[in-house]
Amino acid sequence: MGPRKRKGVSDMSAKKEGMVYVTTLQERIVHWLLAGSCLFALLTGLGLMFHSWDFIPALLGGHYAMKWMHIFSGVVFAFALVGASIMWWEHCKFVPDDLKWAMQAGGYLWDTHDLPPGGMYNAGQKLFFWTVFVFGIVVVVSGLIMFNPLAVPVTLARWAYMLHAASVMVIASFFVIHLYLGTFGNPGTVQIMFHGWATREYCEFHKGKWLAEREKKGGEESQAA
Amino acid sequence: MTEYIKLIDLTKCTGCRACQVACKNWNDLPAESTGFTGSLQNPADLSYNTWCLIRFDEIQNGSGMNWIMRHDACMHCEWPACVKACPSPGALVRTDTGAVVHDPNYCIGCKACTAACPFDIPRYSAEQEKIAKCTLCYDRITDGRKPACVTACPTGCLTFGSKAEMLSKADARAAEVQGVVYPRNPKYRTNVLYIMPRAIDVAQLQHTNPNPKMPTTILWWKNLFKPFTLIGMGAVAGAAMLHYMVRGPHEPHGPEKKEGGE
């Protein structure tokens, strides 16, 4: 962590020495809406699937209450997914460097000295985005069908139940990777999603290409808003 | 507790609908306002308040015609898809009598059972936000009595007894009338059986499933993707922990930094 000078500063985006403002407030809000609704839906969904995990309905006020919590968190998730897609679509388009990154597993599994300078997101993050995007759509659409299975042919309804669970399996497993790499795996990352700032050193290491392009465009201050 | 079977001998049904009335009566189900749908079938379908129904089918059979009346209600599966799909413990239960019962106190109105059931039996009420279906009169049979429909049946079409007794009775009767026992899939047993008259193919009748089984999608949902959500999350968490111990955090650590630390 670099120095954080907050004396007399009320705006989180005001310039801090040695630090780079990476995410906008909007990005952080949408990220946590998406993450929060996803996790809450996962928690209530697991509570509905695993009868032995009755501590979840016990905490949340029973299965009936949990049904509606699950539905409403799904609605929040759907809207957050739309917001996230609009915000990160461009950032998450794959580029040739992503293949180079992927061939070296991003330097996570063995020592490598040939990593291309990173853009805003690396290939792994992009893959997570597209996974959540694709399977998120499946979860939302199948969830809509499950909200009223009687409105569709029974075969479609049954597929919806199965695909809902299959998509959750994929998203939930990938989410654990995301959780690890966003916290313990990459020190300095989780702060970006709280206050928006990362150290210069962090950005040079993880987002070299992005940092260079941004500084060419006109420095930190103009970006900080 | 003994396991019971309800046997429906379609060669004996006259379509009098005493079973329909007795079911309403015993289970305290209100009458429905219905209309004429071009058939003697009334009401037209099962509902939240109609747990058993006589269905009328006219079937062309060579030069002649068969008029089939069929008592239609929950089949009380030995391996019920509705129970497998149900997210609320106690809302749908297969009891040791063989009866699959619903408990409105625990039903959360999610409608998963309506999609899972291979016989399209559970009926949802948006007003009550719950489902309902035939319980095989669980409250009667645990008291040593027969289901209300069986008690009311005047022709002997509906009979009820212990599983062993009714299975041999079904075989004997099917041989006698040269009909078939339905469903007779040894892999999908139910505690309700039909004697289908000779010359009638079950596929010709409305609201039947000629090949009842646990829907594959429901099976994959509950037996594959459900456990593998946890297995997947757990495996990845383990891999992450291992990675942290073996590789450590992913940070800039060039040679100059290492020297500085020494």
Side-chain angles (χ1 to χ4, degrees):
Chain A
M1 280 292 302
R4 290 179 60 190
K5 293 179 181 169
R6 299 191 58 190
K7 206 185 275 178
V9 172
S10 58
D11 186 354
M12 289 288 269
S13 63
K15 192 173 189 295
K16 296 171 178 64
E17 209 171 303
M19 303 287 281
V20 180
Y21 193 58
V22 180
T23 56
T24 63
L25 179 64
Q26 184 199 338
E27 280 179 301
R28 279 170 276 149
I29 290 174
V30 172
H31 172 265
W32 289 115
L33 276 177
L34 190 67
S37 60
C38 185
L39 280 181
F40 193 66
L42 180 65
L43 180 76
T44 48
L46 289 176
L48 288 166
M49 278 222 293
F50 291 91
H51 288 190
S52 49
W53 288 18
D54 52 2
F55 68 93
I56 300 174
L59 280 172
L60 295 176
H63 286 82
Y64 176 74
M66 215 159 62
K67 175 185 92 167
W68 284 108
M69 290 175 188
H70 189 71
I71 290 167
F72 281 117
S73 56
V75 171
V76 175
F77 177 78
F79 280 105
L81 189 63
V82 172
S85 308
I86 294 169
M87 282 186 330
W88 294 325
W89 191 276
E90 282 301 319
H91 284 310
C92 290
K93 281 185 174 167
F94 284 107
V95 296
D97 271 354
D98 289 329
L99 185 66
K100 229 169 143 187
W101 185 94
M103 297 295 280
Q104 303 171 64
Y108 282 93
L109 300 182
W110 60 88
D111 288 327
T112 168
H113 301 285
D114 196 23
L115 280 177
M120 178 60 169
Y121 296 113
N122 64 41
Q125 289 172 296
K126 289 177 184 180
L127 186 64
F128 184 56
F129 170 81
W130 291 114
T131 304
V132 172
F133 178 73
V134 171
F135 289 96
I137 288 175
V138 178
V139 159
V140 169
V141 172
S142 60
L144 276 173
I145 293 172
M146 289 159 76
F147 183 67
N148 191 3
L150 298 167
V152 299
V154 68
T155 311
L156 180 60
R158 287 171 185 168
W159 272 88
Y161 284 95
M162 189 188 76
L163 291 177
H164 200 74
S167 307
V168 169
M169 177 186 77
V170 174
I171 294 177
S173 302
F174 214 145
F175 153 74
V176 178
I177 303 179
H178 180 64
L179 181 71
Y180 167 64
L181 293 179
T183 54
F184 294 100
N186 284 298
T189 303
V190 74
Q191 289 88 333
I192 298 172
M193 272 306 161
F194 286 120
H195 52 52
W197 293 87
T199 62
R200 240 199 107 74
E201 191 191 23
Y202 176 94
C203 290
E204 277 162 2
F205 180 60
H206 288 283
K207 304 171 188 290
K209 198 173 131 208
W210 170 81
L211 188 65
E213 275 171 13
R214 167 199 174 103
E215 285 180 340
K216 214 168 77 186
K217 260 194 239 165
E220 261 169 49
E221 288 99 321
S222 63
Q223 295 284 325
Chain B
M1 184 64 75
T2 332
E3 214 180 291
Y4 297 103
I5 280 181
K6 176 169 85 172
L7 183 64
I8 305 165
D9 184 351
L10 289 193
T11 62
K12 288 184 178 173
C13 181
T14 62
C16 75
R17 289 187 278 222
C19 52
Q20 225 174 291
V21 175
C23 177
K24 289 255 179 190
N25 193 344
W26 177 259
N27 293 301
D28 224 356
L29 300 171
E32 288 176 69
S33 172
T34 61
F36 183 60
T37 57
S39 157
L40 283 175
Q41 192 168 312
N42 191 356
D45 198 7
L46 294 170
S47 79
Y48 185 75
N49 290 320
T50 302
W51 297 353
C52 94
L53 175 70
I54 297 291
R55 293 185 183 270
F56 290 81
D57 281 292
E58 292 168 19
I59 290 166
Q60 207 69 38
N61 183 16
S63 56
M65 195 197 78
N66 284 94
W67 198 24
I68 301 294
M69 299 106 191
R70 184 171 72 93
H71 170 91
D72 187 23
C74 177
M75 297 293 286
H76 298 280
C77 305
E78 187 174 308
W79 191 30
C82 59
V83 175
K84 196 160 192 67
C86 182
S88 185
L92 275 166
V93 175
R94 184 178 187 267
T95 67
D96 49 12
T97 60
V100 177
V101 300
H102 67 280
D103 186 338
N105 292 315
Y106 295 108
C107 179
I108 62 172
C110 75
K111 299 169 271 214
C113 56
T114 66
C117 176
F119 298 100
D120 181 34
I121 294 297
R123 286 294 184 274
Y124 176 70
S125 160
E127 226 170 88
Q128 303 291 328
E129 219 184 326
K130 288 178 192 310
I131 61 99
K133 66 170 199 66
C134 159
T135 63
L136 204 63
C137 282
Y138 182 68
D139 48 352
R140 290 175 64 90
I141 63 179
T142 47
D143 196 32
R145 293 194 273 178
K146 291 176 177 179
C149 56
V150 176
T151 310
C153 180
T155 66
C157 165
L158 299 179
T159 49
F160 184 81
S162 74
K163 187 177 177 178
E165 176 199 341
M166 298 312 277
L167 281 175
S168 56
K169 186 176 168 182
D171 286 338
R173 180 61 183 166
E176 192 181 348
V177 299
Q178 295 170 35
V180 296
V181 179
Y182 164 84
R184 54 174 177 178
N185 181 353
K187 284 182 185 164
Y188 197 85
R189 293 180 291 266
T190 57
N191 286 64
V192 173
L193 294 174
Y194 284 93
I195 303 294
M196 287 286 171
R198 179 172 44 145
I200 294 300
D201 179 4
V202 66
Q204 291 176 288
L205 303 176
Q206 58 165 312
H207 202 247
T208 52
N209 185 344
N211 182 28
K213 61 184 179 83
M214 171 79 75
T216 313
T217 41
I218 302 296
L219 205 59
W220 281 47
W221 168 30
K222 291 293 185 177
N223 286 9
L224 184 72
F225 296 122
K226 173 182 163 179
F228 269 90
T229 301
L230 290 190
I231 293 169
M233 290 176 77
V236 171
M241 221 175 139
L242 192 67
H243 179 267
Y244 193 76
M245 291 187 293
V246 175
R247 296 282 303 172
H250 193 57
E251 286 182 295
H253 51 277
E256 64 284 348
K257 203 171 176 185
K258 270 180 186 163
E259 280 161 21
E262 278 165 9

